[in-house]
Amino acid sequence: MRVNGTEEKLDVEPWVSLLDALRERLGVTGPKKGCDQGACGACTVLADGVRINACLALAVQYADREITTIEGVTPHPLQEAFVRHDGLQCGYCTSGQICSAIAMLDEYAAGMPSAVSAGVPELTEAEIRERMSGNLCRCGAYNGIVDAIKEVAG
C-alpha cells in the first residue's frame, strides 16, 4: 500500500486493522485509537481520497490503495482554520476531524446528498454538523470545528 505517498511493504495477519498497521507497524501516529469500534472517528484517514474509519478496516483490504493520514495531508486551509477558530482544544480528535472535513468538502462539492441537504445548494451549519457527525470531540470544540469548515468552504 502507499501511505502518505510512500510505498510500504507490510506482512500482516489478515485480522490486523488498518489503524494498527499504521500505528504499530509503520509508526504513523496521527490517526488515533479512540473507541476502536468506529463510533468516534479519531482514526479517520483517507483511502484514495474517501474517508474511512481505519479501526474498522482490515489492512489487507487496502494493499493496493493510497492511504493518506494527517501526516500526508499537504498544507490545507482547514489546518490553519482549525487553529484560528480553536477547533482543536486537546487535539486528540483533530487529525480525524481534519481528514474527515477534507473528504466531506469533496463529497459536498461532488453533489453527494446527506440527510439534511435534500437538494439545498448551500453548505449550512446544519449540513456541516450532519456530514461531520461521525467524528466526536470530547472537548466540545464543535463550534470552532464548524466555523473552520464554514470559513474554508467559503
Side-chain angles (χ1 to χ4, degrees):
M1 80 179 63
R2 290 183 59 77
V3 178
N4 299 324
T6 301
E7 190 69 32
E8 300 287 356
K9 299 286 184 199
L10 288 174
D11 184 22
V12 296
E13 297 82 1
W15 55 83
V16 173
S17 72
L18 178 58
L19 178 62
D20 288 343
L22 290 169
R23 291 185 59 81
E24 297 169 12
R25 311 284 172 96
L26 297 176
V28 178
T29 58
K32 302 294 190 265
K33 188 176 278 196
C35 67
D36 207 22
Q37 299 176 355
C40 74
C43 66
T44 303
V45 299
L46 306 174
D48 296 331
V50 177
R51 56 184 165 167
I52 63 166
N53 290 330
C55 73
L56 295 180
L58 296 175
V60 295
Q61 293 175 287
Y62 292 85
D64 297 322
R65 308 283 291 278
E66 175 71 39
I67 304 300
T68 305
T69 69
I70 193 67
E71 291 91 344
V73 169
T74 55
H76 194 284
L78 275 168
Q79 293 165 308
E80 291 180 8
F82 266 61
V83 173
R84 273 193 302 281
H85 292 280
D86 196 25
L88 45 93
Q89 293 187 17
C90 86
Y92 196 83
C93 71
T94 306
S95 62
Q97 294 276 3
I98 290 174
C99 284
S100 188
I102 289 169
M104 182 273 293
L105 289 172
D106 289 344
E107 292 163 7
Y108 181 78
M112 293 178 73
S114 79
V116 172
S117 64
V120 176
E122 183 183 342
L123 191 59
T124 64
E125 184 173 315
E127 181 76 14
I128 292 169
R129 289 182 184 280
E130 169 64 24
R131 290 177 182 265
M132 291 296 293
S133 63
N135 291 79
L136 304 179
C137 171
R138 291 182 173 99
C139 298
Y142 292 113
N143 292 335
I145 292 167
V146 170
D147 290 344
I149 295 170
K150 282 187 345 192
E151 175 188 311
V152 171

